[in-house]
Amino acid sequence: MSKIKTAFFCQNCGYESVKWVGQCPSCGQWNTFVEELIQKDSKKNDNGWSDYHPGTRNSRTISLSQIKSNEDRRLLTSDSELNRVLGGGVIPGSLVLVAGEPGIGKSTLFLQNGLLLKDVTVLYISGEESEQQIKMRADRLQSYSLTGNTENFYLLTETSTQVIFQEIKKLKPQLVIVDSIQTLQTTFIDSSPGSVSQIRECAAEFQRFAKETGTPVFLIGHITKDGSIAGPKILEHMVDTVLQFEGDRHYAYRVLRTLKNRFGSTAELGIYEMTDQGMRAVLNPSEILITQKEDQLSGIAIAATIEGLRPLLIEVQALVTQSVYGTPQRTVSGFDLRRLQSLLAVLEKRGGFHFGIKDVFLNIAGGIKVEDPSTDLAVLCALLSSYEDTPLPHHICFAGEVGLSGEIRAVNRIEQRVAEAEKLGFEKIIVSKYNPKGLSRQKTGIEMLAMGRVEEVYKYLF
Ligand SMILES: [Zn+2]
């Protein structure tokens, strides 16, 4: 017989405790512990995935040279952005978590990719939508109606892992997509779907399935903006790859970012445009992220950044106005607020600008979030341009990190940034004078202006 047992789980990070505690010892959050029923079944191995191939798993020592590399068996999807973030295609037997806020387009992206995989049996498991809803969604995807895979694409609307694995045994799919992990439940655990213990156990069953059969599995998981809903966070260490799908719901652009990858680089990035016919991979993102207007406006500067492994030109917009209230406001979108505050402090202290009595608004165009510190210089110039109410010169862009003493620091992979700026028709790029000089002697169509301090940049621009 089974023994009923309860435990307390931190809903933020999944930390398990036998008694309730106010503050999580693992992640430090307050009031995150919730009691969940766990039914400890002694016949655990008869549940879920494990009864599929009893005894076929041979755990024994093996010479490294006998192990076949999975590299050459990567499954290439028709989505070049997805292949890129996965490190060059889907590895057999890999468990991939796709995390993102609800409604951002995770289901659309993976439904679309499943439909576009020709000659591969795909099983799409949905615990959220009915067959009719998914069919309607699929019909809307233009790519599907053009090159659709209707014979090899199977749909299962089910939330019980027991039923799911029975179906999997019959179908033997070559790729499984689960939408979403929060809706699944296993009978082994008694708590409700979406609770920490359920999510963890269901994911563990899919992990065993993936490893034993070599079938890649994509688990879709929802997070909220502050990451407070249990789920993806606690799965991060269980899966091979974590992809984060992000973007502002009000913008068309979406970024698929690799947060963890056992089979490739974590510095990868895919960019999509959400259209009414599905997600369209954006192959040349710089062109759409910059508004190319002929009349110059103040407060706009272009940064030559590297996002992931590729160069990306983005538009930084700043608005500096007289502060109406006692405390000046600082509002940012797509950029780190503390980074902005330190840049304002540099301008105040080193340049003598009085931002202390100004409201400052900063926005990265397109709803993109930037992490590259080389954006600093463009942010600073956008701020100055709005402060002075003077547009920056035509066709100029920036790549430099700004230090606290006002020095412009060198940034990595400057060649790529310069090449991208040149490709997009920029005539000048301001970089740090500490970046290697060799490049400026190359015959390029773009003029490189190497500067060492913020004051020099100011003098040049205004
Ligand atoms: Zn915690």
Side-chain angles (χ1 to χ4, degrees):
M1 262 309 286
S2 58
K3 188 180 140 209
I4 303 281
K5 198 189 149 194
T6 65
F8 293 86
F9 290 91
C10 170
Q11 301 295 306
N12 186 45
C13 70
Y15 186 86
E16 185 178 343
S17 165
V18 285
K19 61 179 191 337
W20 189 85
V21 281
Q23 187 186 20
C24 174
S26 171
C27 69
Q29 293 285 308
W30 288 91
N31 291 325
T32 53
F33 279 82
V34 171
E35 186 173 20
E36 289 178 11
L37 273 173
I38 354 167
Q39 190 178 5
K40 288 277 180 204
D41 196 324
S42 54
K43 282 186 169 180
K44 177 187 172 181
N45 289 339
D46 288 348
N47 278 312
W49 174 247
S50 306
D51 59 342
Y52 183 47
H53 291 301
T56 51
R57 208 198 136 119
N58 300 325
S59 292
R60 55 191 168 79
T61 53
I62 185 166
S63 156
L64 191 62
S65 59
Q66 286 176 273
I67 303 171
K68 272 201 200 144
S69 169
N70 268 349
E71 271 303 317
D72 48 347
R73 297 200 292 132
R74 280 186 191 260
L75 174 70
L76 283 178
T77 70
S78 59
D79 181 345
S80 58
E81 302 293 287
L82 181 63
N83 293 338
R84 185 210 312 270
V85 294
L86 290 171
V90 187
I91 288 271
S94 62
L95 188 63
V96 180
L97 172 69
V98 184
E101 290 166 37
I104 200 126
K106 301 184 291 297
S107 304
T108 305
L109 181 64
F110 281 87
L111 181 62
Q112 175 179 331
N113 271 304
L115 287 164
L116 284 171
L117 275 173
K118 284 176 225 148
D119 315 318
V120 176
T121 310
V122 178
L123 176 63
Y124 187 93
I125 301 162
S126 176
E128 310 216 325
E129 291 179 303
S130 69
E131 283 125 3
Q132 287 303 316
Q133 281 172 305
I134 296 167
K135 170 78 177 155
M136 277 162 64
R137 192 205 286 266
D139 286 340
R140 278 202 303 273
L141 301 173
Q142 185 197 37
S143 42
Y144 155 66
S145 53
L146 289 175
T147 52
N149 157 21
T150 40
E151 284 99 64
N152 295 327
F153 186 86
Y154 292 86
L155 204 60
L156 176 63
T157 48
E158 179 56 56
T159 55
S160 157
T161 56
Q162 266 72 17
V163 179
I164 288 170
F165 284 120
Q166 273 169 17
E167 291 299 313
I168 283 178
K169 278 172 227 171
K170 278 186 246 160
L171 183 67
K172 297 198 172 39
Q174 290 159 289
L175 183 103
V176 176
I177 301 166
V178 179
D179 183 16
S180 67
I181 185 73
Q182 271 108 338
T183 56
L184 297 189
Q185 61 177 330
T186 171
T187 49
F188 162 59
I189 301 275
D190 241 359
S191 56
S192 60
S195 64
V196 171
S197 41
Q198 277 289 3
I199 289 172
R200 196 151 51 183
E201 186 53 32
C202 292
E205 285 178 17
F206 275 101
Q207 187 189 35
R208 287 193 290 271
F209 160 71
K211 298 299 162 209
E212 283 172 27
T213 62
T215 312
V217 177
F218 286 89
L219 300 177
I220 294 176
H222 302 304
I223 50 165
T224 56
K225 264 207 167 101
D226 54 349
S228 61
I229 285 190
K233 221 173 150 61
I234 59 173
L235 296 177
E236 277 173 17
H237 66 279
M238 292 176 69
V239 300
D240 300 306
T241 304
V242 179
L243 302 181
Q244 181 149 309
F245 202 43
E246 55 191 48
D248 193 313
R249 291 175 68 156
H250 306 290
Y251 288 94
Y253 301 109
R254 298 286 182 270
V255 174
L256 189 63
R257 212 184 274 278
T258 316
L259 298 185
K260 166 186 175 177
N261 196 355
R262 287 189 182 144
F263 311 114
S265 159
T266 53
E268 281 298 359
L269 187 89
I271 299 180
Y272 296 89
E273 185 185 2
M274 194 169 177
T275 68
D276 52 354
Q277 286 138 356
M279 294 288 170
R280 189 181 68 84
V282 176
L283 300 176
N284 194 355
S286 297
E287 272 176 16
I288 48 165
L289 291 175
I290 300 171
T291 46
Q292 283 166 336
K293 288 186 226 78
E294 276 311 300
D295 48 334
Q296 292 294 91
L297 304 165
S298 71
I300 289 176
I302 307 297
T305 68
I306 299 269
E307 279 294 318
L309 290 176
R310 50 177 169 167
L312 190 62
L313 265 70
I314 54 165
E315 183 176 308
V316 180
Q317 303 169 337
L319 182 65
V320 179
T321 60
Q322 198 64 40
S323 184
V324 184
Y325 304 104
T327 316
Q329 296 184 65
R330 272 91 183 87
T331 309
V332 287
S333 161
F335 191 73
D336 184 30
L337 178 63
R338 274 172 296 184
R339 193 86 207 143
L340 169 68
Q341 283 165 335
S342 76
L343 289 174
L344 289 173
V346 169
L347 286 174
E348 187 101 31
K349 178 87 178 170
R350 310 286 166 198
F353 297 97
H354 302 297
F355 281 96
I357 49 162
K358 304 276 189 187
D359 287 343
V360 175
F361 304 90
L362 189 78
N363 179 36
I364 306 294
I368 298 277
K369 207 156 61 185
V370 292
E371 286 164 3
D372 186 354
S374 74
T375 321
D376 284 359
L377 191 58
V379 169
L380 193 128
C381 292
L383 290 169
L384 286 172
S385 165
S386 182
Y387 185 94
E388 301 285 355
D389 202 15
T390 310
L392 295 177
H394 266 285
H395 307 302
I396 191 163
C397 64
F398 306 88
E401 186 181 345
V402 176
L404 287 183
S405 64
E407 83 276 19
I408 297 167
R409 308 175 61 141
V411 293
N412 61 0
R413 301 187 11 232
I414 192 76
E415 299 85 355
Q416 272 177 279
R417 298 170 197 264
V418 173
E420 180 76 3
E422 193 187 350
K423 203 169 85 189
L424 287 166
F426 283 85
E427 286 156 10
K428 287 170 184 168
I429 180 168
I430 297 188
V431 298
S432 165
K433 73 171 181 189
Y434 306 108
N435 263 120
K437 288 278 169 57
L439 198 71
S440 54
R441 283 195 293 272
Q442 282 176 18
K443 228 178 137 51
T444 53
I446 185 166
E447 188 183 350
M448 279 181 62
L449 303 159
M451 299 189 188
R453 296 199 55 80
V454 177
E455 295 90 318
E456 279 175 68
V457 179
Y458 180 78
K459 256 184 234 136
Y460 178 79
L461 292 175
F462 302 102

